Amino acid sequence: MAEIVSLEALAKLVRPGQSIAIPVEGVSMAATAALIEAGVTDLRIVCVPISGMQADLLIGAKMVGALETSAVSLGEAGGAPRFGAAVRDGAFALRDSTCPAIFAGLLAAQKGVPFMPIAGIIGSDLLRVRPDWKVIDSPVGEAGKVVVVPAIAPDIALFHAPEADRAGNIRIGRHRELAAMAYAAKRTLVTVERIVDRNLLATEDSAAGVLPSLYVDRIAVAERGAWPLPLWDEYPGDDAEVARYAAMARTEEGFHAYLSGFLGRRKQVA
């Protein structure tokens, strides 16, 4: 049974230098604020498969030592300003990837094998900057060459979901990438909008969209925990707020001004 803890206690489980898998849907902005408040440094972020404002905040707060991702973008609000500035400054180790490669790496970790073969990137410039990706002859069939990518086994999977039951089962709906993160990670930390009394595994219909508590370590309640990003079936994203962040974070001073207000607002919600 997963333990239900405070948001602060959940953030304290993250240690400097650990690798953390974060998603593009079901983003825990509440936990992100708590991590920034806790001052955890040298985090090794794995974006599943991309990220946006969450990664940009962590980068701007000087908490990231390495980042593996297919992209970091604020979508309609434009590029991620702190990410761009940090890449230009060489502030962290950037590991360029692709969406299929990241999912393949997570799958390898889930299966307990050291690598997973993928197709489609033979001849890509990515192979020049990812020496850990190897091109080999396919050992079976007539596939020719394939690329093998190492397993990705994050220390922590961190995401936000609508609800958990008291046994620690998490409703993730159709967002199976969240399950992939949990299966591959050593520990899974989840924030949720609420705890419900009903058993989410009670029926076939409900259980189909649930991550069992077997894969969950700690849960914290954080109302509107994805804000200003959306949470499926709960609330839309606050596009105006993301745009405001994008404008302010273009400068170091503007970023810190935004961050101060963001942390203060998260405390009020908590």
Side-chain angles (χ1 to χ4, degrees), residues 126-181:
L126 275 176
L127 294 174
R128 296 207 302 255
V129 298
R130 290 299 301 260
D132 55 330
W133 294 0
K134 306 297 184 183
V135 180
I136 65 169
D137 292 319
S138 173
V140 297
E142 299 179 356
K145 302 281 187 184
V146 295
V147 177
V148 293
V149 300
I152 299 174
D155 293 309
I156 292 170
L158 176 66
F159 63 85
H160 186 71
E163 59 191 18
D165 65 21
R166 298 200 177 276
N169 303 305
I170 309 290
R171 180 163 68 84
I172 61 172
R174 70 187 71 185
H175 297 279
R176 303 313 300 174
E177 70 278 10
L178 302 178
M181 289 166 47

Side-chain angles (χ1 to χ4, degrees), residues 24-260:
V24 66
E25 298 282 351
V27 176
S28 183
M29 294 298 280
T32 301
L35 287 173
I36 293 171
E37 290 276 18
V40 186
T41 59
D42 196 30
L43 296 176
R44 313 184 76 78
I45 303 298
V46 179
C47 304
V48 183
I50 68 173
S51 188
M53 187 173 174
Q54 181 181 29
D56 211 55
L57 280 171
L58 293 171
I59 291 166
K62 306 294 191 293
M63 298 174 63
V64 177
L67 183 78
E68 182 166 6
T69 188
S70 302
V72 178
S73 170
L74 300 183
E76 293 297 323
R82 292 298 91 204
F83 168 76
V87 170
R88 289 190 294 271
D89 293 342
F92 57 82
L94 177 61
R95 293 164 63 86
D96 286 315
S97 191
T98 71
C99 300
I102 287 175
F103 285 120
L106 293 173
L107 181 60
Q110 175 190 341
K111 300 298 183 183
V113 296
F115 60 81
M116 189 65 60
I118 61 174
I121 58 174
I122 300 291
S124 167
D125 288 344
L126 275 176
L127 294 174
R128 296 207 302 255
V129 298
R130 290 299 301 260
D132 55 330
W133 294 0
K134 306 297 184 183
V135 180
I136 65 169
D137 292 319
S138 173
V140 297
E142 299 179 356
K145 302 281 187 184
V146 295
V147 177
V148 293
V149 300
I152 299 174
D155 293 309
I156 292 170
L158 176 66
F159 63 85
H160 186 71
E163 59 191 18
D165 65 21
R166 298 200 177 276
N169 303 305
I170 309 290
R171 180 163 68 84
I172 61 172
R174 70 187 71 185
H175 297 279
R176 303 313 300 174
E177 70 278 10
L178 302 178
M181 289 166 47
Y183 297 155
K186 298 176 179 69
R187 306 182 80 177
T188 297
L189 309 179
V190 184
T191 56
V192 295
E193 293 289 316
R194 57 191 168 269
I195 304 294
V196 298
D197 291 325
R198 67 184 184 282
N199 181 356
L200 294 177
L201 292 175
T203 69
E204 292 291 340
D205 285 346
S206 66
V210 171
L211 176 68
S213 61
L214 172 66
Y215 300 101
V216 181
D217 291 271
R218 299 289 190 277
I219 300 167
V221 175
E223 294 181 13
R224 297 191 64 80
W227 181 89
L229 304 181
L231 183 64
W232 68 90
D233 294 341
E234 296 287 326
Y235 42 84
D238 188 338
D239 294 340
E241 181 67 12
V242 176
R244 188 171 77 89
Y245 169 77
M248 293 183 68
R250 289 174 187 153
T251 66
E252 188 83 17
E253 296 77 10
F255 169 79
H256 286 290
Y258 180 88
L259 182 62
S260 177

